[in-house]
Amino acid sequence: MAQEEVQNEGAKKVAAVTFTAVKPQLTVEAPKAVDAVQFYKSAFGAVEVGRTLHPKRKADQELPHILSAQLELAGSTILVSDIAENYAPVKAEGTGCVLCLETEDVEAAIAMAVNAGGVAEGEITEGDGACCGGRVGKVKDPYGYVWLICSPAKKCADVDA
Amino acid sequence: MAQEEVQNEGAKKVAAVTFTAVKPQLTVEAPKAVDAVQFYKSAFGAVEVGRTLHPKRKADQELPHILSAQLELAGSTILVSDIAENYAPVKAEGTGCVLCLETEDVEAAIAMAVNAGGVAEGEITEGDGACCGGRVGKVKDPYGYVWLICSPAKKCADVDA
């Protein structure tokens, strides 16, 4: 993880990217994520380990939109996110399921995926990403699936419930 | 895993179901799964650890449909499956991503999900399921996502490539 001074100019094509986690993100129409989280707890025994709310949500809105709730289920992490019409960090176009791939090297991972035939969409964003902060880029694969290439999740707000 | 003689009549509602794995299954239009597997290898460094072909596929068809290719990626398993118009073990209706949940107790898991508000679809099937054999049931959750409740995957055919 230490930053080396040596720049690897060939990194874009030959990078040996290491991924640390795959997290399916299930997007639901806002503000249903809160109900969806409850359902996955009841239905599958999922355990909510963190929740990130929309930081810019207006006070006069009834419910805080869930940017990302992190659920542990069978040794994996599932993310549940509200998708609002006017604010969609992830617009999945026809499929609400997005796969988050965590890696320390977001740029190299995107370059590798694009080199293989994926299409990078948008810029790499920092901050209030759907994957609990960090840097997030997006790649659409040739089969229509959207992959979020994310730096590892930061510690999220603990959940009381 | 030992079968006990005692029957737990309340199991359908209070079963403490244990899930052993969550595996996102990406379905692609047949026969593109073979290409998709190659893409995920190149793009993300996924490693194919098993592949199950359609056992009833006719000889005069050009390519064997992939019922399920198992890819290891970042410590998780991703399944890639061909979906044909006339043979779709999983029809995901609007989203090609299905989540496979493995458990030893398929019935209890389905009962628990239905009790929480999910809708069981079809019967539990045995054999050439999309999750590499075993018993498979299907539950649609209130948010439109399809979950396959599967008994743990059997050993699949090894992959040469």
Side-chain angles (χ1 to χ4, degrees), chain B residues 42-43 53 94 128 135 150:
Chain B
S42 307
L53 301 180
D128 56 310
R135 310 179 63 239
C150 316

Side-chain angles (χ1 to χ4, degrees), chain A residues 111-156:
Chain A
M112 192 165 84
V114 168
N115 195 47
V119 177
E121 300 197 329
E123 301 292 316
I124 294 173
T125 56
E126 187 101 27
D128 56 311
C131 300
C132 208
R135 310 178 65 237
V136 184
K138 194 161 79 168
V139 173
K140 191 174 208 172
D141 75 28
Y143 311 94
Y145 292 102
V146 174
W147 298 75
L148 292 181
I149 313 294
C150 317
S151 57
K154 296 170 187 165
K155 180 77 186 81
C156 299

